Amino acid sequence: MWSSGRSEAALEAALPVPIDIRPLRSARRLRLRFDEARGMLKLTCPWRTSRRAALAWALDQRDWIEAQLARVEPPQPFEAGATIPVEGEEVRILWDPAASRTPSLTAGALLVGGPEAGIGRRVELFLKRRALDVMSREVADYAAAAGVTVRSVSVGDAGSRWGSCSSTGRIRLSWRLILAPPNVRRYVVAHEVAHLVHLDHSDRFKALEARLYGPGVSEAKAALRRIGPRLRRVGRGR
Ligand SMILES: [Zn+2]
């Protein structure tokens, strides 16, 4: 989401779980641990460490943090009988060998046909296509409102990032956003489109983001942080 000159709030929001930072007179270096019971990070650091520096350092430990989360909360593979979120609604994967191989979404269920072996791959492909369809339209709407041109929109699964954009007008979004409620997904889309105008998190950027998205930016941001770890586990494993 654009890393240069990130504010404390932006750094903190980029962490997948809440963090408690404690400067200690006795601490000689920064130290991070994961409190499983509370589902949060605890960071101790030397007395004079700034909050911003501590957050930036914690963010650099992202791989380690993700590994801790994965250990505590197992992945949720796409398989017959599993319940997954699609656009924020809980949906059950129903497997019927006689049904179409292309999954179809009906009230509360995702019907998948074909051999059992390929269910995971077919469900993921279905969700990626839906993610690209839905978010391409949203990008176009926000871009029109912002008066900018978008060169391309693509979906991927780029580690910890929900979205990114380039100065040449390309937007890349995580397909996992299609699992999230629409207001959360739209927040990321509006955020990235606003970056096509302002390549920073300045006040002008925030004003544009708020104009495009409408009220509720901070609520959507907080919700993404809360549900993010689950969205990252869905469809993994097996
Ligand atoms: Zn950003």
Side-chain angles (χ1 to χ4, degrees):
M1 287 201 179
W2 216 259
S3 51
S4 65
R6 285 173 135 190
S7 67
E8 269 181 36
L11 289 169
E12 193 164 352
L15 287 167
V17 283
I19 189 167
D20 176 38
I21 299 176
R22 276 207 191 150
L24 296 177
R25 289 192 190 280
S26 58
R28 305 184 74 171
R29 58 187 179 89
L30 293 105
R31 196 161 164 263
L32 190 62
R33 64 187 184 83
F34 182 60
D35 182 337
E36 282 187 25
R38 293 205 171 84
M40 69 186 297
L41 296 163
K42 303 251 166 146
L43 188 154
T44 51
C45 55
W47 193 248
R48 291 176 188 281
T49 313
S50 74
R51 187 171 171 80
R52 192 177 184 286
L55 286 168
W57 181 82
L59 209 52
D60 282 344
Q61 321 300 315
R62 181 114 217 178
D63 290 348
W64 179 84
I65 297 168
E66 296 288 348
Q68 304 308 305
L69 289 173
R71 199 167 52 79
V72 180
E73 302 175 87
Q76 286 188 342
F78 290 134
E79 59 190 0
T83 299
I84 60 165
V86 177
E87 299 196 36
E89 304 285 339
E90 295 300 321
V91 167
R92 203 174 160 85
I93 299 177
L94 293 182
W95 174 52
D96 175 357
S100 163
R101 283 177 179 237
T102 305
S104 58
L105 196 58
T106 53
L110 185 62
L111 180 65
V112 197
E116 188 168 19
I119 292 177
R121 199 173 40 78
R122 293 196 293 280
V123 169
E124 186 170 321
L125 195 62
F126 169 82
L127 292 169
K128 281 180 174 165
R129 282 202 183 124
R130 191 180 179 94
L132 185 61
D133 274 5
V134 170
M135 293 194 286
S136 294
R137 267 183 269 127
E138 289 171 343
V139 165
D141 288 348
Y142 285 131
V148 286
T149 309
V150 180
R151 284 269 297 281
S152 69
V153 182
S154 58
V155 297
D157 197 7
S160 58
R161 293 179 139 208
W162 295 111
S164 61
C165 70
S166 75
S167 53
T168 55
R170 297 176 197 280
I171 288 182
R172 192 161 172 78
L173 298 155
S174 168
W175 67 265
R176 293 175 180 280
L177 288 165
I178 201 66
L179 305 172
N183 68 311
V184 173
R185 175 190 74 228
R186 285 196 305 100
Y187 149 69
V188 178
V189 177
H191 184 98
E192 296 307 331
V193 170
H195 272 319
L196 295 179
V197 182
H198 303 290
L199 293 173
D200 53 29
H201 289 124
S202 61
D203 289 346
R204 288 192 310 167
F205 166 84
K206 284 179 188 144
L208 176 60
E209 180 188 44
R211 177 166 76 77
L212 295 177
Y213 181 76
V217 167
S218 54
E219 287 82 354
K221 201 171 184 172
L224 179 59
R225 199 166 141 196
R226 204 170 50 244
I227 63 175
R230 182 180 178 209
L231 301 190
R232 291 199 174 94
R233 288 199 306 280
V234 169
R236 295 201 195 278
R238 288 288 146 87

